[in-house]
Amino acid sequence: MPPSADDQPPNPGFDLAAMIESELGAPGDALRLHERYINPSVAAVLRTIGFDANYVRGEGAYLFDDQGRRYIDCLGGYAVFAAGRNHPVVRDALRQAMELDLPNLPGVGVFRTSGLLAKRLVELMPGAASDMSNPLDTVFFANSGAEAIDAAIKHARIATGRRGLVYCHRAYHGLTMGALSVNGNQEFREGFGPLLEHAQEIPFNDLGALEAALEKGDVAAFIVEPIQGKGVNIPAEDYLSRASALCRKHGSLLILDEIQTGLGRTGRMFACEHFNAGGGPGQWTPDIMVLAKALSGGYVPVSALITRRWIHSRVFPSMSHCARVQTTFGQNDLAMAAGLATLHVLEAEGIVENAAEIGGYLTERLREKLAGFQMVREIRGMGLMIAIEFGPPRSAGLRVGWELLHKLDASLFCQAVIMPLMSDHRILAQVAGHRLDVIKLIPPLVLSREDADEIVGAFEATVRACHQFGGPAWEVGKKLGAAAMKRFVPA
Ligand SMILES: Cc1ncc(COP(=O)(O)O)c(C=O)c1O
């Protein structure tokens, strides 16, 4: 008989902390390993833009480096840390799951925890509390956002018997070949073709273009983010509800990608709730909702596709077709535990409400402090998904610098803002996409008012410096431009 867990020696000779200590003891060790074994181009970028801090710990909305310096994390691991980094309840849930010695991944067998998370997700869906017909009430689990998007494409094609896919300019749904086929950013697509056929790009927030695409009658699904991550583009208030009605009229499904916006990011549990989604009269719901990122608690990758039963039944219509969309780790216990604990924490600690309150406060304060600067075009956002958009200056001197930087690289201006935010203020942020003058803030949703004030102060100082032509920010830009010309290829 194999020994039980209790019979195992407590220390089997593996000590992760000791390994980290001995192999990553000196500053730069972790980056050197990354450079040698993972991606030297990324390492070069990190060094060039000064994002090579040696982080040793994360907590809530903060990262800490080996010098004990604290950074406010407005990048949030690309929006996975809704509950904050290393949330003690999520961490404890994972510890509990491990100590239960669960019969993880039985393969052909009854999974122990996935039904629990599926039930919670179904209960949370827009309209679930009403007695609407055809609610979103079945769940498929996968590991990453893109993988669930691929599954959504498969669901839509099988359920409708059609091939066509319609997606938006600037859409980002991930980078697997299926998801890439509905990606509206040329930079990500280049060189990887041929991608899926029958996929058509239309402008975002354009109902006429959508109707023209759907009218042909061959479209399986329109796939859309409620707020686009690339650029933080917010549609008109009635865009999604009218898009849903158009899909219904033309027999196409609406796939709503809430991978980035879902689970509290925008100050509601789902962003579509800002746009009249629900089960009441005159309200709408998507046919397929896709979640990922925050569901992981920032610990264990997981994604979920939630759909109506009739769609699910067409994908899995019989015993012989019961598993034709699947993935080995799809319902693993640690991911399920992370998801259950994250949902618990979001509700128990009022984190969604905090995102609404602090997000609103931060947006207003940024508007107040940055409004007078001629290169600041707009501050927009919902909850803690916020964009600071820049535009060409009026004054001739600044305009020369603006045009020079844009000639070198269309994303460079914002990069030149982000670098001093990091080096002088230890605020971690990102450019919102290729060829955009937009900085995006997607911090953990536990951000405090004091953090928000610190972020505003840092932006004010940095943006002020950018408005002094020839000042340090422009030097940064020029240096970056030279590096960009070398395409960040390391020596
Ligand atoms: C809206 C949206 N959809 C899909 C994805 C892809 O998710 P993943 O990177 O987990 O594949 C992302 C990732 O940034 C996203 O923001």
Side-chain angles (χ1 to χ4, degrees), residues 344-439:
H344 169 82
V345 167
L346 290 185
E347 286 183 339
E349 298 184 9
I351 287 176
V352 183
E353 293 77 8
N354 190 66
E357 184 194 326
I358 301 300
Y361 174 73
L362 178 54
T363 305
E364 275 318 306
R365 294 270 294 141
L366 283 169
R367 281 188 184 138
E368 215 176 278
K369 294 290 176 188
L370 302 185
F373 291 105
Q374 53 173 306
M375 284 191 286
V376 175
R377 177 180 280 176
E378 189 183 36
I379 318 283
R380 60 175 175 273
M382 279 189 170
L384 281 168
M385 183 170 184
I386 299 173
I388 296 109
E389 177 159 10
F390 296 87
R394 290 181 303 278
S395 76
L398 283 176
R399 208 170 178 107
V400 171
W402 173 272
E403 278 163 13
L404 185 75
L405 281 192
H406 282 79
K407 221 173 266 169
L408 285 171
D409 182 315
S411 316
L412 216 54
F413 178 81
C414 280
Q415 204 57 63
V417 177
I418 275 173
M419 285 172 61
L421 275 176
M422 178 68 163
S423 58
D424 302 349
H425 304 278
R426 294 196 286 280
I427 306 280
L428 190 61
Q430 65 178 126
V431 186
H434 295 95
R435 291 177 288 106
L436 285 178
D437 292 310
V438 182
I439 291 177

XYZ file of all heavy atoms in Angstrom, residues 344-439:
744
model
N -15.754 34.682 -3.175
C -16.117 34.935 -1.773
C -15.527 36.277 -1.303
O -16.234 37.112 -0.725
C -15.599 33.793 -0.892
C -15.684 34.094 0.563
N -16.848 33.942 1.285
C -14.757 34.587 1.430
C -16.642 34.321 2.529
N -15.383 34.719 2.656
N -14.251 36.470 -1.578
C -13.558 37.691 -1.113
C -14.153 38.936 -1.778
O -14.343 39.970 -1.134
C -12.042 37.572 -1.403
C -11.352 38.916 -1.229
C -11.410 36.535 -0.491
N -14.445 38.840 -3.072
C -15.004 40.007 -3.772
C -16.277 40.473 -3.071
O -16.491 41.668 -2.874
C -15.322 39.674 -5.232
C -14.148 39.436 -6.183
C -14.652 39.238 -7.605
C -13.147 40.578 -6.154
N -17.106 39.499 -2.668
C -18.373 39.870 -2.019
C -18.165 40.248 -0.563
O -18.623 41.285 -0.106
C -19.374 38.717 -2.157
C -19.898 38.650 -3.582
C -20.959 37.589 -3.809
O -21.044 36.626 -3.014
O -21.695 37.729 -4.798
N -17.433 39.399 0.165
C -17.305 39.600 1.620
C -16.593 40.914 1.943
O -16.859 41.530 2.970
C -16.557 38.423 2.238
N -15.669 41.331 1.095
C -14.879 42.519 1.426
C -15.300 43.760 0.638
O -14.594 44.766 0.647
C -13.389 42.208 1.211
C -12.943 41.082 2.129
C -11.458 40.768 2.065
O -10.704 41.528 1.432
O -11.073 39.737 2.635
N -16.431 43.668 -0.049
C -16.941 44.844 -0.766
C -15.963 45.358 -1.816
O -15.858 46.566 -2.054
N -15.269 44.444 -2.477
C -14.200 44.863 -3.390
C -14.757 45.483 -4.673
O -14.172 46.416 -5.229
C -13.253 43.659 -3.661
C -12.413 43.433 -2.396
C -12.358 43.898 -4.871
C -11.507 42.237 -2.434
N -15.901 44.984 -5.115
C -16.490 45.564 -6.331
C -16.909 47.014 -6.046
O -16.666 47.925 -6.846
C -17.691 44.716 -6.807
C -18.258 45.278 -8.094
C -17.270 43.253 -6.989
N -17.494 47.201 -4.867
C -17.901 48.567 -4.472
C -16.667 49.460 -4.347
O -16.686 50.640 -4.709
C -18.655 48.534 -3.136
C -20.012 47.834 -3.179
C -19.922 46.304 -3.200
O -18.817 45.746 -3.038
O -20.968 45.656 -3.398
N -15.580 48.889 -3.826
C -14.341 49.682 -3.704
C -13.822 50.111 -5.082
O -13.377 51.247 -5.267
C -13.253 48.870 -2.974
C -12.054 49.736 -2.613
O -12.162 50.648 -1.790
N -10.925 49.493 -3.256
N -13.933 49.186 -6.047
C -13.485 49.526 -7.413
C -14.302 50.696 -7.950
O -13.757 51.612 -8.580
C -13.619 48.311 -8.332
N -15.613 50.674 -7.664
C -16.468 51.769 -8.142
C -16.081 53.077 -7.456
O -15.888 54.116 -8.108
C -17.938 51.440 -7.874
N -15.908 53.003 -6.138
C -15.673 54.240 -5.386
C -14.276 54.810 -5.663
O -14.135 55.984 -6.029
C -15.832 53.934 -3.888
C -15.705 55.179 -3.034
C -15.517 54.837 -1.561
O -16.080 53.823 -1.101
O -14.790 55.598 -0.887
N -13.260 53.968 -5.530
C -11.894 54.481 -5.710
C -11.638 54.781 -7.188
O -10.939 55.739 -7.528
C -10.851 53.482 -5.150
C -11.127 53.239 -3.663
C -9.425 53.984 -5.368
C -11.072 54.477 -2.777
N -12.227 53.967 -8.057
C -12.072 54.235 -9.494
C -12.666 55.582 -9.860
O -12.051 56.376 -10.585
N -13.868 55.853 -9.336
C -14.517 57.141 -9.607
C -13.683 58.287 -9.057
O -13.475 59.315 -9.715
N -13.179 58.102 -7.845
C -12.369 59.142 -7.190
C -11.088 59.405 -7.992
O -10.734 60.557 -8.281
C -12.041 58.659 -5.770
C -11.097 59.563 -5.010
C -11.521 60.800 -4.524
C -9.775 59.176 -4.782
C -10.650 61.625 -3.830
C -8.906 59.994 -4.085
C -9.338 61.220 -3.612
O -8.467 62.035 -2.930
N -10.416 58.308 -8.372
C -9.146 58.455 -9.108
C -9.378 59.148 -10.453
O -8.614 60.052 -10.847
C -8.517 57.058 -9.293
C -7.222 56.947 -10.077
C -6.143 57.875 -9.514
C -6.702 55.504 -10.061
N -10.434 58.749 -11.147
C -10.725 59.351 -12.457
C -10.983 60.859 -12.292
O -10.430 61.681 -13.037
C -11.962 58.671 -13.085
O -11.721 57.276 -13.122
C -12.239 59.166 -14.493
N -11.789 61.201 -11.294
C -12.112 62.623 -11.074
C -10.884 63.437 -10.721
O -10.649 64.534 -11.225
C -13.168 62.751 -9.965
C -14.589 62.596 -10.456
C -14.841 63.324 -11.775
O -14.568 64.535 -11.847
O -15.290 62.679 -12.746
N -10.049 62.885 -9.833
C -8.853 63.612 -9.388
C -7.856 63.771 -10.543
O -7.211 64.809 -10.678
C -8.185 62.875 -8.218
C -9.033 62.861 -6.964
C -8.760 64.049 -6.068
N -7.408 63.986 -5.551
C -6.595 65.027 -5.385
N -7.009 66.230 -5.711
N -5.379 64.860 -4.897
N -7.744 62.729 -11.369
C -6.848 62.845 -12.535
C -7.352 63.936 -13.464
O -6.579 64.754 -13.977
C -6.764 61.502 -13.282
C -5.887 60.418 -12.642
C -6.116 59.072 -13.328
C -4.398 60.778 -12.704
N -8.665 63.966 -13.662
C -9.262 64.994 -14.535
C -8.950 66.382 -13.971
O -8.519 67.281 -14.695
C -10.772 64.819 -14.617
C -11.159 63.716 -15.562
C -12.669 63.665 -15.789
N -12.980 62.533 -16.627
C -13.997 61.710 -16.437
N -14.844 61.903 -15.446
N -14.191 60.703 -17.251
N -9.160 66.520 -12.679
C -8.944 67.809 -12.009
C -7.505 68.283 -12.178
O -7.255 69.425 -12.538
C -9.180 67.536 -10.526
C -9.809 68.606 -9.682
C -9.991 67.996 -8.285
O -10.991 67.276 -8.072
O -9.115 68.212 -7.444
N -6.555 67.377 -11.946
C -5.149 67.797 -11.915
C -4.508 67.859 -13.300
O -3.498 68.540 -13.482
C -4.335 66.829 -11.031
C -4.722 66.892 -9.571
C -4.264 68.217 -8.967
C -4.720 68.338 -7.527
N -4.468 69.674 -6.973
N -5.033 67.117 -14.262
C -4.364 67.067 -15.571
C -5.073 67.887 -16.641
O -4.532 68.073 -17.740
C -4.247 65.609 -16.056
C -3.503 64.632 -15.137
C -3.361 63.268 -15.811
C -2.112 65.144 -14.757
N -6.276 68.379 -16.298
C -7.103 69.019 -17.329
C -6.392 70.182 -18.014
O -6.535 70.387 -19.220
C -8.402 69.511 -16.697
N -5.570 70.923 -17.273
C -4.981 72.131 -17.854
C -3.805 71.856 -18.785
O -3.308 72.786 -19.446
N -3.345 70.645 -18.880
C -2.153 70.368 -19.704
C -2.564 70.128 -21.159
O -3.445 69.314 -21.432
C -1.406 69.152 -19.167
C -0.753 69.403 -17.834
C -1.287 68.881 -16.669
C 0.389 70.191 -17.751
C -0.681 69.119 -15.445
C 1.005 70.437 -16.518
C 0.462 69.902 -15.367
N -1.879 70.839 -22.074
C -2.349 70.816 -23.462
C -2.198 69.463 -24.159
O -2.874 69.204 -25.146
C -1.689 71.927 -24.270
C -0.180 71.958 -24.215
C 0.369 72.982 -25.179
O 0.054 72.950 -26.354
N 1.194 73.882 -24.690
N -1.320 68.600 -23.675
C -1.194 67.296 -24.342
C -2.118 66.239 -23.727
O -2.122 65.094 -24.167
C 0.254 66.825 -24.306
C 1.124 67.567 -25.317
S 2.739 66.845 -25.526
C 3.547 67.328 -24.024
N -2.872 66.603 -22.699
C -3.819 65.631 -22.123
C -5.152 65.808 -22.827
O -5.775 66.857 -22.760
C -3.973 65.841 -20.601
C -5.042 64.906 -20.039
C -2.640 65.598 -19.900
N -5.553 64.771 -23.539
C -6.785 64.885 -24.338
C -8.011 64.457 -23.552
O -9.034 65.104 -23.575
C -6.644 64.027 -25.598
C -7.891 64.010 -26.448
C -7.731 63.179 -27.677
N -7.009 63.898 -28.707
C -6.654 63.379 -29.866
N -6.919 62.116 -30.113
N -6.019 64.083 -30.760
N -7.902 63.329 -22.839
C -9.093 62.814 -22.146
C -8.692 61.838 -21.042
O -7.723 61.089 -21.197
C -10.001 62.074 -23.144
C -11.346 61.715 -22.548
C -12.243 60.905 -23.489
O -11.746 60.062 -24.254
O -13.458 61.124 -23.426
N -9.434 61.884 -19.965
C -9.321 60.845 -18.930
C -10.671 60.142 -18.940
O -11.703 60.772 -18.746
C -9.138 61.443 -17.510
C -8.178 62.623 -17.500
C -8.782 60.368 -16.490
C -6.751 62.327 -17.573
N -10.661 58.833 -19.170
C -11.950 58.116 -19.199
C -11.776 56.766 -18.508
O -10.648 56.295 -18.320
C -12.435 57.926 -20.634
C -11.492 57.127 -21.494
C -12.018 56.825 -22.887
N -10.976 56.150 -23.668
C -10.033 56.767 -24.373
N -9.981 58.082 -24.437
N -9.122 56.066 -25.016
N -12.897 56.171 -18.160
C -12.809 54.850 -17.551
C -14.083 54.493 -16.833
O -15.018 55.283 -16.740
N -14.086 53.273 -16.348
C -15.175 52.803 -15.487
C -14.526 52.017 -14.379
O -13.712 51.116 -14.645
C -16.130 51.909 -16.271
C -17.121 52.684 -17.090
S -18.370 51.597 -17.773
C -19.515 52.805 -18.397
N -14.872 52.330 -13.135
C -14.248 51.640 -12.010
C -12.746 51.793 -12.084
O -12.225 52.888 -12.346
N -12.038 50.687 -11.910
C -10.575 50.757 -11.941
C -10.015 50.243 -13.268
O -9.073 49.442 -13.313
C -9.992 50.024 -10.735
C -10.057 50.887 -9.452
C -9.762 50.074 -8.196
C -9.110 52.095 -9.537
N -10.622 50.708 -14.338
C -10.091 50.507 -15.693
C -10.086 51.907 -16.303
O -11.124 52.417 -16.746
C -11.005 49.567 -16.473
C -10.521 49.232 -17.857
S -11.538 47.885 -18.523
C -10.701 47.588 -20.069
N -8.922 52.552 -16.254
C -8.868 53.986 -16.515
C -7.841 54.284 -17.603
O -6.751 53.702 -17.620
C -8.493 54.746 -15.222
C -9.559 54.492 -14.145
C -8.324 56.251 -15.473
C -9.224 55.037 -12.776
N -8.201 55.196 -18.506
C -7.281 55.603 -19.572
C -6.924 57.069 -19.424
O -7.792 57.892 -19.126
C -7.940 55.386 -20.928
N -5.653 57.371 -19.647
C -5.211 58.760 -19.764
C -4.744 58.898 -21.208
O -3.751 58.289 -21.605
C -4.065 59.080 -18.786
C -4.563 58.933 -17.347
C -3.536 60.500 -18.990
C -4.029 57.774 -16.625
N -5.505 59.647 -21.989
C -5.166 59.763 -23.418
C -4.503 61.115 -23.686
O -4.970 62.151 -23.223
C -6.420 59.621 -24.285
C -6.083 59.806 -25.764
C -7.101 59.207 -26.716
O -8.184 58.803 -26.261
O -6.792 59.163 -27.918
N -3.421 61.056 -24.454
C -2.693 62.271 -24.820
C -2.974 62.611 -26.281
O -3.398 61.760 -27.053
C -1.187 62.069 -24.603
C -0.834 61.835 -23.160
C -0.858 60.557 -22.613
C -0.501 62.898 -22.332
C -0.542 60.339 -21.273
C -0.184 62.696 -20.983
C -0.214 61.405 -20.461
N -2.720 63.870 -26.645
C -2.912 64.282 -28.036
C -1.927 65.373 -28.380
O -1.260 65.928 -27.492
N -1.797 65.719 -29.669
C -0.789 66.681 -30.106
C -0.962 68.050 -29.433
O -2.089 68.515 -29.269
C -1.017 66.804 -31.612
C -2.158 65.923 -31.939
C -2.637 65.212 -30.728
N 0.144 68.658 -29.034
C 0.078 69.959 -28.362
C -0.164 71.089 -29.354
O 0.072 70.934 -30.546
C 1.466 70.095 -27.747
C 2.338 69.266 -28.616
C 1.511 68.149 -29.168
N -0.634 72.225 -28.819
C -0.838 73.402 -29.676
C 0.471 74.148 -29.890
O 0.770 74.605 -30.968
C -1.843 74.359 -29.010
C -3.264 73.838 -28.975
C -4.188 74.858 -28.322
N -3.766 75.227 -26.960
C -4.053 74.503 -25.878
N -4.768 73.397 -25.980
N -3.654 74.896 -24.673
N 1.290 74.255 -28.848
C 2.453 75.144 -28.957
C 3.509 74.527 -29.885
O 3.730 73.309 -29.899
C 3.038 75.409 -27.578
O 3.765 74.301 -27.151
N 4.142 75.410 -30.655
C 5.035 74.961 -31.727
C 6.200 74.139 -31.179
O 6.552 73.083 -31.726
C 5.543 76.183 -32.504
N 6.797 74.600 -30.071
C 7.972 73.916 -29.523
C 7.650 72.481 -29.148
O 8.335 71.532 -29.558
N 6.576 72.316 -28.391
C 6.183 70.973 -27.965
C 5.812 70.101 -29.155
O 6.064 68.904 -29.180
C 4.981 71.061 -27.017
C 5.256 71.500 -25.583
C 3.957 71.626 -24.803
C 6.184 70.507 -24.877
N 5.242 70.753 -30.158
C 4.781 69.997 -31.324
C 5.944 69.328 -32.056
O 5.836 68.195 -32.538
C 4.025 70.937 -32.271
C 3.015 70.179 -33.047
C 2.064 71.022 -33.838
N 1.201 70.095 -34.546
C -0.068 69.881 -34.231
N -0.632 70.546 -33.261
N -0.768 69.012 -34.909
N 7.079 70.039 -32.094
C 8.269 69.455 -32.743
C 8.636 68.153 -32.040
O 8.856 67.107 -32.667
C 9.458 70.460 -32.685
C 10.749 69.807 -33.147
C 9.145 71.708 -33.499
N 8.683 68.233 -30.706
C 9.040 67.044 -29.932
C 8.023 65.929 -30.125
O 8.379 64.766 -30.334
N 6.756 66.277 -30.091
C 5.676 65.299 -30.259
C 5.825 64.567 -31.594
O 5.782 63.335 -31.660
C 4.330 66.042 -30.184
C 3.138 65.194 -30.495
C 2.594 64.960 -31.727
C 2.337 64.456 -29.566
N 1.505 64.142 -31.620
C 1.319 63.810 -30.306
C 2.363 64.288 -28.189
C 0.354 63.007 -29.708
C 1.392 63.484 -27.586
C 0.410 62.854 -28.344
N 6.048 65.365 -32.647
C 6.126 64.750 -33.974
C 7.375 63.892 -34.129
O 7.338 62.818 -34.721
C 6.034 65.828 -35.059
C 4.559 66.185 -35.291
C 4.333 67.492 -36.020
O 5.306 68.043 -36.576
O 3.179 67.971 -36.010
N 8.454 64.375 -33.541
C 9.701 63.609 -33.601
C 9.520 62.232 -32.947
O 9.851 61.200 -33.542
C 10.800 64.399 -32.872
C 12.193 63.802 -32.944
C 12.773 64.061 -34.335
C 13.097 64.425 -31.883
N 8.986 62.243 -31.765
C 8.796 60.963 -31.057
C 7.865 60.046 -31.839
O 8.119 58.848 -31.968
C 8.211 61.184 -29.665
C 9.160 61.644 -28.565
C 8.484 61.516 -27.203
C 10.440 60.820 -28.550
N 6.781 60.613 -32.387
C 5.830 59.767 -33.115
C 6.418 59.230 -34.406
O 6.025 58.154 -34.873
C 4.517 60.524 -33.365
C 3.668 60.565 -32.131
N 3.905 61.440 -31.099
C 2.614 59.800 -31.733
C 3.024 61.224 -30.133
N 2.232 60.240 -30.493
N 7.372 59.993 -34.980
C 8.017 59.496 -36.188
C 8.907 58.292 -35.854
O 8.979 57.316 -36.588
C 8.850 60.629 -36.820
C 8.731 60.642 -38.335
C 9.398 61.844 -38.936
C 8.405 62.977 -39.141
N 9.053 64.244 -39.489
N 9.557 58.376 -34.705
C 10.436 57.266 -34.302
C 9.619 56.007 -34.004
O 9.967 54.901 -34.400
C 11.218 57.659 -33.046
C 12.370 58.651 -33.252
C 12.906 59.119 -31.905
C 13.477 58.022 -34.068
N 8.534 56.173 -33.267
C 7.695 55.029 -32.903
C 6.390 55.579 -32.329
O 6.396 56.398 -31.411
C 8.412 54.175 -31.843
C 7.612 52.939 -31.455
O 6.383 53.025 -31.228
O 8.230 51.866 -31.359
N 5.286 55.079 -32.856
C 3.987 55.671 -32.516
C 3.557 55.409 -31.071
O 2.599 56.006 -30.597
C 2.917 55.168 -33.478
N 4.242 54.498 -30.366
C 3.855 54.241 -28.966
C 4.813 54.919 -27.987
O 4.695 54.745 -26.770
C 3.878 52.743 -28.671
O 3.304 52.010 -29.692
N 5.775 55.664 -28.550
C 6.899 56.120 -27.730
C 6.539 57.194 -26.713
O 7.097 57.235 -25.617
C 7.969 56.673 -28.682
C 9.407 56.417 -28.295
C 9.657 54.952 -28.075
C 10.327 56.947 -29.381
N 5.619 58.062 -27.078
C 5.320 59.169 -26.173
C 4.870 58.634 -24.807
O 5.381 59.035 -23.760
C 4.256 60.106 -26.761
C 3.910 61.218 -25.817
C 4.723 62.347 -25.737
C 2.820 61.133 -24.981
C 4.442 63.369 -24.823
C 2.529 62.146 -24.068
C 3.335 63.265 -23.998
N 3.917 57.719 -24.824
C 3.410 57.203 -23.549
C 4.484 56.415 -22.806
O 4.535 56.423 -21.575
C 2.183 56.329 -23.772
S 0.713 57.326 -24.017
N 5.322 55.743 -23.578
C 6.413 55.011 -22.926
C 7.307 55.992 -22.171
O 7.777 55.704 -21.063
C 7.204 54.252 -24.002
C 7.953 53.051 -23.495
C 7.068 52.025 -22.799
O 6.189 51.442 -23.406
N 7.280 51.830 -21.509
N 7.503 57.171 -22.772
C 8.339 58.192 -22.129
C 7.657 58.794 -20.901
O 8.305 59.407 -20.070
C 8.680 59.298 -23.130
N 6.357 58.614 -20.769
C 5.660 59.052 -19.554
C 5.739 57.949 -18.490
O 5.934 58.206 -17.297
C 4.173 59.381 -19.860
C 3.424 59.770 -18.593
C 4.079 60.501 -20.894
N 5.617 56.731 -18.974
C 5.586 55.603 -18.043
C 6.924 55.386 -17.336
O 6.977 55.008 -16.164
C 5.149 54.353 -18.839
C 3.633 54.349 -18.881
C 5.639 53.076 -18.222
C 3.073 53.314 -19.747
N 8.006 55.695 -18.066
C 9.327 55.455 -17.465
C 9.591 56.315 -16.227
O 9.965 55.787 -15.186
C 10.414 55.614 -18.519
C 10.452 54.416 -19.448
S 11.542 54.633 -20.853
C 13.115 54.859 -20.051
N 9.384 57.640 -16.290
C 9.573 58.407 -15.044
C 8.536 58.094 -13.971
O 8.832 58.202 -12.780
C 9.467 59.873 -15.492
C 8.893 59.859 -16.853
C 9.172 58.520 -17.442
N 7.330 57.671 -14.377
C 6.354 57.246 -13.367
C 6.946 56.118 -12.533
O 6.762 56.045 -11.319
C 5.070 56.732 -14.037
C 3.999 57.737 -14.421
C 2.870 57.032 -15.160
C 3.443 58.457 -13.203
N 7.664 55.260 -13.236
C 8.279 54.108 -12.562
C 9.535 54.531 -11.794
O 9.657 54.280 -10.592
C 8.633 53.073 -13.636
C 9.303 51.851 -13.117
S 8.120 50.932 -12.135
C 8.948 49.361 -12.076
N 10.451 55.220 -12.495
C 11.754 55.492 -11.868
C 11.642 56.533 -10.755
O 12.306 56.423 -9.737
C 12.764 55.941 -12.923
O 12.265 57.102 -13.574
N 10.797 57.534 -10.922
C 10.751 58.618 -9.932
C 9.648 58.429 -8.896
O 9.723 59.003 -7.819
C 10.510 59.975 -10.627
C 11.588 60.277 -11.651
O 12.604 59.542 -11.662
O 11.415 61.212 -12.449
N 8.613 57.666 -9.269
C 7.457 57.580 -8.351
C 7.088 56.144 -7.991
O 6.170 55.933 -7.204
C 6.242 58.275 -8.984
C 6.513 59.697 -9.370
N 6.461 60.732 -8.470
C 6.890 60.249 -10.552
C 6.771 61.869 -9.081
N 7.029 61.604 -10.346
N 7.746 55.188 -8.606
C 7.464 53.766 -8.371
C 5.980 53.431 -8.558
O 5.332 52.786 -7.742
C 7.970 53.334 -7.000
C 9.485 53.397 -6.919
C 10.036 52.635 -5.760
N 9.830 53.293 -4.499
C 10.577 54.292 -4.042
N 11.601 54.723 -4.771
N 10.329 54.832 -2.881
N 5.463 53.924 -9.692
C 4.103 53.571 -10.119
C 4.261 52.735 -11.381
O 4.851 53.177 -12.361
C 3.278 54.832 -10.489
C 3.266 55.852 -9.366
C 1.871 54.438 -10.956
C 2.320 55.596 -8.245
N 3.718 51.536 -11.346
C 3.825 50.611 -12.476
C 2.581 50.760 -13.353
O 1.465 50.530 -12.875
C 3.904 49.206 -11.887
C 4.245 48.016 -12.731
C 5.623 48.192 -13.335
C 4.229 46.763 -11.857
N 2.780 51.182 -14.617
C 1.628 51.343 -15.522
C 2.025 50.842 -16.911
O 3.151 50.383 -17.113
C 1.190 52.801 -15.577
N 1.105 50.942 -17.877
C 1.399 50.407 -19.203
C 0.782 51.280 -20.299
O -0.198 51.997 -20.059
C 0.849 48.979 -19.343
C -0.670 48.936 -19.284
C -1.252 47.547 -19.478
O -2.018 47.057 -18.665
N -0.895 46.920 -20.572
N 1.363 51.178 -21.506
C 0.744 51.800 -22.671
C -0.412 50.876 -23.068
O -0.285 49.657 -23.028
C 1.744 51.931 -23.842
C 1.107 52.707 -24.984
C 3.014 52.621 -23.383
N -1.546 51.473 -23.462
C -2.766 50.674 -23.648
C -2.828 49.916 -24.970
O -3.862 49.334 -25.286
C -3.991 51.559 -23.514
N -1.755 49.904 -25.753
C -1.773 49.154 -27.006
C -0.788 49.763 -27.986
O -0.232 50.835 -27.734
N -0.568 49.069 -29.101
C 0.352 49.574 -30.118
C -0.188 50.854 -30.751
O -1.381 50.989 -30.950
C 0.534 48.544 -31.233
C 1.203 47.283 -30.763
N 0.490 46.184 -30.385
C 2.507 46.961 -30.609
C 1.330 45.225 -30.018
N 2.556 45.676 -30.143
N 0.680 51.723 -31.098
C 0.345 52.967 -31.821
C -0.789 53.736 -31.142
O -1.710 54.210 -31.785
C -0.012 52.653 -33.294
C 1.188 52.182 -34.111
C 0.827 51.811 -35.522
N 0.090 50.567 -35.571
C -1.212 50.476 -35.800
N -1.931 51.550 -36.023
N -1.808 49.295 -35.818
N -0.715 53.818 -29.833
C -1.740 54.559 -29.092
C -1.062 55.553 -28.161
O -0.008 55.259 -27.594
C -2.574 53.600 -28.232
C -3.605 52.731 -28.923
C -4.283 51.822 -27.900
C -4.648 53.586 -29.624
N -1.686 56.702 -27.977
C -1.198 57.670 -26.991
C -2.044 57.556 -25.730
O -2.569 58.547 -25.212
C -1.272 59.086 -27.587
C -0.265 59.254 -28.718
O 0.916 58.916 -28.504
O -0.656 59.689 -29.819
N -2.198 56.337 -25.271
C -3.076 56.079 -24.125
C -2.322 55.255 -23.079
O -1.744 54.219 -23.397
C -4.339 55.292 -24.563
C -5.269 55.060 -23.379
C -5.085 56.011 -25.681
N -2.367 55.744 -21.854
C -1.838 54.962 -20.727
C -3.031 54.346 -20.010
O -4.055 54.992 -19.806
C -1.039 55.869 -19.768
C 0.244 56.326 -20.469
C -0.701 55.136 -18.471
C 1.086 57.276 -19.653
